[in-house]
Amino acid sequence: MSIRKADLSDLDAMVEVALVAMPMDPQWDYRFPHRKHYPEDTLKFTRERFKMFLENESGEWHVMVAELPSRENPTVFKVAAFAVWRLPPSGEQVASDAEKAPVEQRRDADVERMRAFSESLGEARKHYFERVYGKNRMHLILLATHPEYQRRGAGGTLASWGMEKAKEDGLATTLFASPMGRQLYLRLGFRDLGAIKIQVDGETESICVGVMAYVPASDEA
Ligand SMILES: CC(C)(COP(=O)(O)OP(=O)(O)OC[C@H]1O[C@@H](n2cnc3c(N)ncnc32)[C@H](O)[C@@H]1OP(=O)(O)O)[C@@H](O)C(=O)NCCC(=O)NCCS
């Protein structure tokens, strides 16, 4: 396996991975319950968002991909996983992206749940991250491995790359974890800071998102 910085030519491969991997995270179906009826909207908005990451006009994004020998032809490497990081000083993360996104235009999304998700993560970001680390942190926005290539170390390698870079730059690494991701992050040395329950008033459905950080020991930094 090898990892490298992504560029715009990786856009289609990243979208392909996301569309099959992200539904394994419960927050995806929670926020996009109509995705099976409007797959074109999921595709369009995912693609636009990833293009923004890759074009990186604001200078705050860093996208890495992991390549593995393809199942069809092991002599050919293909993009099997990717990670999107938000670099300081802006230190924002997925919550503020969701606020900026044109949620009402997405027929695949549930607007109330998108708002609840965005608000809850925004509050958690302030409470758990900004209050403690200020802008001195690197935030993992997205991590996904194609299901056919999972459990072969790609996700861990990409997460470790960011942890190492953050350590070199004297930063904490922060993230909001899915249930699958949490197991991996714990193994890599992240610790739980809390858990947030997201629920719209009057609904029985809810999701739980883990709040995690990795702070290198001071004698290692
Ligand atoms: C989380 C994810 C990125 C891990 O990618 P990966 O390439 O399989 O990662 P690695 O091979 O380095 O590590 C796999 C670890 O993930 C965790 N994991 C994978 N599948 C899991 C599952 N079904 N349940 C619980 N933990 C799981 C385990 O800790 C596993 O380690 P193990 O194989 O030693 O048990 C991948 O499972 C994925 O894309 N999930 C869907 C999207 C998602 O939840 N992303 C994380 C958002 S925070």
Side-chain angles (χ1 to χ4, degrees):
M1 186 215 323
S2 62
I3 65 169
R4 62 172 170 79
K5 189 173 189 296
D7 61 37
L8 259 182
S9 69
D10 297 308
L11 177 59
D12 289 340
M14 283 173 56
V15 170
E16 190 187 326
V17 169
L19 293 183
V20 285
M22 292 315 296
M24 300 175 89
D25 179 351
Q27 58 92 359
W28 193 257
D29 273 346
Y30 179 77
R31 289 193 298 147
F32 306 115
H34 314 302
R35 69 181 175 86
K36 288 186 179 144
H37 288 108
Y38 299 105
E40 64 276 28
D41 282 21
T42 311
L43 175 65
K44 176 178 170 229
F45 287 99
T46 303
R47 203 167 193 285
E48 279 177 10
R49 188 160 182 246
F50 287 10
K51 190 160 174 275
M52 177 197 74
F53 291 144
L54 289 164
E55 285 176 339
N56 191 26
E57 282 175 12
S58 62
E60 65 200 304
W61 310 111
H62 191 102
V63 185
M64 297 289 292
V65 289
E67 293 177 307
L68 283 166
S70 82
R71 287 163 69 93
E72 302 79 31
N73 179 355
T75 63
V76 176
F77 275 60
K78 70 174 272 177
V79 171
F82 67 89
V84 180
W85 296 90
R86 194 167 206 163
L87 308 172
S90 47
E92 295 294 316
Q93 82 292 68
V94 74
S96 56
D97 294 329
E99 281 155 20
K100 278 185 251 158
V103 177
E104 290 78 9
Q105 293 170 23
R106 292 193 68 150
R107 293 169 301 172
D108 58 341
D110 181 296
V111 174
E112 290 302 314
R113 291 182 186 179
M114 293 289 274
R115 287 211 183 101
F117 184 84
S118 173
E119 281 169 20
S120 297
L121 264 58
E123 282 163 21
R125 180 184 71 223
K126 287 192 193 111
H127 179 75
Y128 291 105
F129 299 152
E130 291 174 359
R131 196 170 54 87
V132 183
Y133 309 117
K135 292 185 186 302
N136 298 322
R137 65 192 181 92
M138 221 168 106
H139 188 86
L140 181 57
I141 298 272
L142 278 171
L143 180 70
T145 301
H146 191 293
E148 290 176 4
Y149 296 84
Q150 286 177 3
R151 301 196 114 136
R152 291 168 61 182
T157 305
L158 288 168
S160 301
W161 175 88
M163 294 163 74
E164 196 51 39
K165 174 168 168 48
K167 188 170 149 183
E168 280 167 16
D169 297 348
L171 305 170
T173 312
T174 57
L175 56 84
F176 292 114
S178 69
M180 284 171 97
R182 181 170 172 271
Q183 299 307 319
L184 171 62
Y185 305 134
L186 283 173
R187 185 151 53 77
L188 294 176
F190 279 82
R191 64 187 177 91
D192 287 316
L193 301 182
I196 37 178
K197 184 178 176 187
I198 299 163
Q199 187 168 29
V200 170
D201 285 346
E203 284 194 354
T204 50
E205 297 93 337
S206 65
I207 51 164
C208 189
V209 176
V211 185
M212 303 184 85
Y214 169 73
V215 183
S218 54
D219 56 346
E220 289 178 52

